Amino acid sequence: MTANPKPDPAGLDLTQVQWTVSSHSGGGGDCVRVGAIDGHILIGDTKNPDRAPHVFTPSELRAFLNGVRDGEFDHLIQHG
């Protein structure tokens, strides 16, 4: 069992979360928002801010970001 288990996102008080949105989103709302609470990383949808965010541990987010940097997810993006 982990020392800091992931909380249920539906039960989180998100009113004090300071969200960050990528400057690459172009301001059109086509981006995710990222914040933190109680040592966990939150990733939410900018177009649906009332929807519960996904909750990740720092190590989960680190693994994902390293995969992004290595191009492991490039095949998911439609070019065109």
Side-chain angles (χ1 to χ4, degrees):
M1 187 166 163
T2 60
N4 193 7
K6 288 187 198 181
D8 177 357
L12 293 174
D13 176 8
L14 303 177
T15 58
Q16 299 301 313
V17 174
Q18 293 183 359
W19 294 100
T20 300
V21 177
S22 171
S23 62
H24 296 276
S25 68
D30 291 330
C31 200
V32 297
R33 60 187 190 157
V34 180
I37 192 169
D38 298 331
H40 291 92
I41 310 304
L42 308 174
I43 298 181
D45 183 351
T46 58
K47 287 187 178 179
N48 297 290
D50 294 329
R51 184 177 292 166
H54 295 282
V55 179
F56 299 94
T57 65
S59 61
E60 289 172 329
L61 183 63
R62 189 175 303 108
F64 174 72
L65 292 176
N66 286 336
V68 168
R69 288 183 191 110
D70 289 345
E72 294 175 9
F73 307 106
D74 289 355
H75 67 281
L76 298 173
I77 301 171
Q78 295 179 357
H79 298 284

